[in-house]
Amino acid sequence: MPSANNVRSRARERNSVLSRPEFMSLNHQPLRGGSGPPENRCGPKRAPQTKHQAIQKSEEPTDGGSKDRRESTKMPEEDCMQLNPSFKGIAMNSLLAIDICLSKRMGVCASTSSSWGGCRSMVALLALTGHGITWIIGTIVCLTRSNTLAGQEVLVNLLLALILDVMTVAGVQRLVKRRGPWEMAPGFLDCVAMDVYSFPAAHASRAAMVSKFLLSHLVLAVPLRILLVLWAFLVGISRVLLGKHHLTDMVCGFALGMFHFSLMETVWLSSNTCQTLISISTLSWSPFY
């Protein structure tokens, strides 16, 4: 039989072996109630969540702060990229981009520090010749000095055409509210004539209407007719050089001016009607004569 000393030495050796790190798990006693896997001893097994439940749980806000944070990170509709833009939309956006780029490049007299800043006063003076206030005052002065019925008839219809042009352009500008390429504040005369926005160009519309009106109702030599057409074009382009309008504003202004001329030709007032209007305006009209 082995001695007691041998038994004790073997027990010490066994304890020293079990104390090593690789055999530490052998020293732990198993938990009562079964020897299943650790996950089974931790508690009852939960039912697996379906995909729909997981999505609903992730969408439910934990508190008001997370909901506000998610709403703040939502992009506005105008900032969202349109994945399938139409050909018409692409073409319109491209044309507008080209229009803005060319208009800014042509605004060489937009300020005194521009490339053509030294010519700004001359270009502004040219634009003044197509201003609505200038033409309305000039037509009224000529009407008071006219002594012929034919001249008064032409001047009264021209005055009505100018008023129609000012009111129509101001109404369209109020509806569209397009700013100029350089975001300039309108001047005093522009505010008086209600020419505060960019589309359509009021000077171009007026110049086209007046030049066509004078070419149709005045007998002018060929050089004067050419100068009148050139003046209308220069008045329209001068506003682009000053940075007040885009190129498309000028083109639409010319088209609107031609429409105003055609409209006035359709509703042309006769000489008798013009004389009645003159009498009413001068407070000399009497219904008994």
Side-chain angles (χ1 to χ4, degrees):
M1 292 182 64
S3 61
N5 293 331
N6 293 335
V7 172
R8 284 194 295 270
S9 62
R10 289 178 182 178
R12 285 195 297 269
E13 291 177 358
R14 185 177 58 186
N15 292 335
S16 63
V17 170
L18 292 177
S19 62
R20 294 181 181 179
E22 57 267 26
F23 300 109
M24 288 295 293
S25 61
L26 299 178
N27 294 330
H28 298 284
Q29 298 295 331
L31 297 176
R32 294 180 181 180
S35 60
E39 57 271 11
N40 293 337
R41 297 196 303 266
C42 295
K45 185 176 181 181
R46 296 181 180 179
Q49 292 183 349
T50 62
K51 183 177 180 181
H52 181 67
Q53 293 176 348
I55 294 175
Q56 287 184 346
K57 185 176 181 181
S58 62
E59 290 180 352
E60 292 179 357
T62 55
D63 53 1
S66 61
K67 184 177 180 181
D68 296 339
R69 191 161 50 250
R70 186 164 59 251
E71 290 179 355
S72 63
T73 56
K74 187 183 294 183
M75 296 178 63
E77 295 182 359
E78 58 268 17
D79 292 340
C80 297
M81 182 179 63
Q82 189 176 2
L83 298 180
N84 296 318
S86 61
F87 176 78
K88 182 179 179 181
I90 295 176
M92 289 298 296
N93 292 332
S94 301
L95 290 176
L96 287 176
I98 294 173
D99 177 38
I100 294 173
C101 180
L102 291 178
S103 301
K104 287 191 173 184
R105 287 178 177 271
M106 293 183 64
V108 293
C109 300
S111 63
T112 55
S113 59
S114 302
S115 57
W116 288 15
C119 303
R120 177 178 171 78
S121 57
M122 297 179 60
V123 177
L125 182 62
L126 176 62
L128 184 62
T129 60
H131 203 281
I133 302 299
T134 306
W135 275 97
I136 290 176
I137 294 176
T139 304
I140 293 175
V141 172
C142 293
L143 184 60
T144 58
R145 295 178 178 274
S146 178
N147 298 322
T148 61
L149 295 178
Q152 292 176 355
E153 178 184 353
V154 172
L155 290 173
V156 168
N157 283 277
L158 177 59
L159 180 62
L160 294 177
L162 290 170
I163 296 175
L164 174 66
D165 180 81
V166 170
M167 300 301 294
T168 305
V169 171
V172 176
Q173 287 185 355
R174 291 289 181 178
L175 289 176
V176 179
K177 293 184 178 180
R178 187 187 189 187
R179 298 290 182 180
W182 293 98
E183 296 288 341
M184 293 182 177
F188 174 74
L189 291 178
D190 293 335
C191 293
V192 172
M194 296 177 290
D195 184 13
V196 295
Y197 291 103
S198 177
F199 182 89
H203 289 65
S205 174
R206 196 168 303 112
M209 188 269 295
V210 169
S211 62
K212 183 64 175 176
F213 190 95
L214 297 180
L215 289 174
S216 300
H217 297 284
L218 295 182
V219 180
L220 301 174
V222 175
L224 292 178
R225 299 172 74 89
I226 295 175
L227 287 177
L228 192 58
V229 174
L230 183 61
W231 165 81
F233 174 76
L234 292 177
V235 168
I237 202 68
S238 65
R239 299 287 287 180
V240 179
L241 297 178
L242 292 172
K244 298 286 187 178
H245 296 287
H246 300 86
L247 285 174
T248 52
D249 303 335
M250 180 189 67
V251 174
C252 293
F254 285 144
L256 186 60
M258 299 303 294
F259 171 75
H260 289 158
F261 168 77
S262 300
L263 183 61
M264 284 305 304
E265 290 294 312
T266 304
V267 296
W268 184 267
L269 300 182
S270 63
S271 178
N272 293 331
T273 306
C274 293
Q275 292 302 315
T276 303
L277 293 177
I278 293 173
S279 301
I280 294 174
S281 62
T282 57
L283 301 179
S284 61
W285 176 72
S286 175
F288 301 105
Y289 294 99

